Amino acid sequence: MIVQDTNFFCDMPEDMKYLRDRNPPGNFIEQNMIFILPDRLRKFRRNLFHVRRTDSDATVYAPLFRIRCISASDPVPEGYDGPFDVFPFYTNPTRKRRRTLDYYVLFLFQDKLSYVRCRDALGQIPA
C-alpha cells in the first residue's frame, strides 16, 4: 500500500473503539464518529486519518480527513453512543455506486521517528 504524500503509516490496533453520534447529519459516516485511542497511543491522536483508494492507481491511497480522537481515559462526550469495537466495522468494504471502495483508518507520519514510536506502542513488526 502506498499513501500519497506520506512516508510512513501504521494500522490502527484491534483494541480501538469508537463513538457514534446519536443524531448524525447525512454526510460521510466517519465524520460523525469519535475514535477512542488506547492510552498508550494518546500522543498520536493527530496522526489518525481516514484514507481511501484512488481511482488512478489501485495501490495508492489518498488521505481524506483527520479523525476526531479521544483517549480511553477521557470522558465520553454528550450525544454519542458507544463505545463500539472498531472491528468488525472496518472489516466490511463500503458499497457505493455498484463498485467497492476501500476505506481505511491509518496513523500517518512524515518523519521516521514518530512512525517508530507509534509502531513500538502498537507492538507492530517493521514492514
Side-chain angles (χ1 to χ4, degrees):
M1 179 189 293
I2 300 165
V3 182
Q4 283 180 345
D5 303 321
T6 302
N7 296 323
F8 307 99
F9 65 88
C10 293
D11 290 324
M12 62 180 165
E14 292 189 17
D15 59 346
M16 252 174 82
K17 308 266 186 203
Y18 72 93
L19 303 170
R20 190 172 25 218
D21 193 331
R22 281 189 199 125
N23 303 306
N27 56 355
F28 198 50
I29 188 170
E30 280 81 357
Q31 290 178 326
N32 305 314
M33 295 165 60
I34 298 175
F35 282 70
I36 302 173
L37 296 177
D39 285 331
R40 70 184 188 279
L41 299 172
R42 69 182 175 277
K43 293 180 181 177
F44 306 106
R45 72 177 77 199
R46 295 188 52 79
N47 296 96
L48 195 64
F49 280 81
H50 205 72
V51 301
R52 89 168 174 86
R53 183 179 285 174
T54 61
D55 293 331
S56 59
D57 187 340
T59 61
V60 177
Y61 290 76
L64 291 178
F65 55 87
R66 180 179 282 137
I67 293 175
R68 293 173 50 205
C69 297
I70 62 173
S71 294
S73 58
D74 293 340
V76 173
E78 287 291 320
Y80 284 85
D81 292 326
F84 304 105
D85 289 333
V86 165
F87 299 100
F89 184 84
Y90 275 93
T91 58
N92 300 321
T94 302
R95 287 212 165 261
K96 186 176 182 182
R97 296 189 191 115
R98 287 199 260 163
R99 67 172 206 198
T100 302
L101 300 175
D102 286 326
Y103 293 96
Y104 291 98
V105 173
L106 299 172
F107 291 95
L108 302 182
F109 303 97
Q110 295 299 322
D111 63 285
K112 188 169 185 176
L113 183 58
S114 296
Y115 159 73
V116 169
R117 286 180 182 155
C118 184
R119 188 193 66 211
D120 290 347
L122 287 165
Q124 292 182 351
I125 300 168

